[in-house]
Amino acid sequence: QVQLVESGGGSVQAGGSLKLSCTYSTFELSRKCMAWFRQAPGKDREGVAAISTQLYGYTGYGDSVKGRFTISRDDAKWTVDLQMNSLEPEDSATYYCAASELEFCASDWRTSTARFGAWGQGTQVTVSS
């Protein structure tokens, strides 16, 4: 059974950093595009960062987090991390780890949650000003 478990959320002041980690449960996901999404109250879920398998060598970011967030994966440990620096109050949201059904990250991954068939339960990030 595929499971994704996020950890590392919490509260931080603006300008601070947090590192989120997603642990997945099956070897199969080491061959899939993985991503982080976030959803704030009253807003749509948005793609934050995505990373393909090593074969495709892709990493991508949402416009609002470029240059501040870094996604990485360790397929030996079955983890996908999101390092978040220079956090802003607007980054406050529930962050979700997601696994695509594809090895590569589709060009519309930021807005197409339907491409991701497995999701974690989410971890809360709160950034105070």
Side-chain angles (χ1 to χ4, degrees):
Q1 183 178 359
V2 174
Q3 284 189 319
L4 303 173
V5 179
E6 303 97 338
S7 61
S11 297
V12 66
Q13 288 192 326
S17 298
L18 280 175
K19 185 176 182 178
L20 305 183
S21 186
C22 170
T23 302
Y24 54 86
S25 62
T26 67
F27 173 76
E28 177 185 4
L29 295 190
S30 69
R31 299 180 177 182
K32 304 298 183 184
C33 169
M34 301 290 291
W36 286 93
F37 285 77
R38 68 185 182 187
Q39 188 167 22
K43 294 189 176 181
D44 292 334
R45 192 168 294 193
E46 64 170 335
V48 174
I51 185 166
S52 69
T53 61
Q54 205 168 22
L55 175 66
Y56 290 92
Y58 171 86
T59 56
Y61 299 91
D63 288 342
S64 62
V65 307
K66 281 180 183 176
R68 300 188 297 121
F69 291 12
T70 302
I71 189 171
S72 61
R73 66 189 298 164
D74 186 335
D75 292 324
K77 296 181 179 179
W78 295 5
T79 59
V80 180
D81 292 339
L82 184 68
Q83 178 66 47
M84 306 186 295
N85 298 329
S86 302
L87 284 162
E88 304 167 352
E90 293 73 22
D91 295 316
S92 297
T94 300
Y95 283 71
Y96 298 90
C97 178
S100 173
E101 298 175 351
L102 306 172
E103 289 188 17
F104 61 91
C105 299
S107 59
D108 62 350
W109 67 265
R110 295 170 184 81
T111 56
S112 183
T113 56
R115 295 193 179 278
F116 294 85
W119 294 82
Q121 81 289 350
T123 186
Q124 180 65 40
V125 170
T126 303
V127 184
S128 58
S129 57

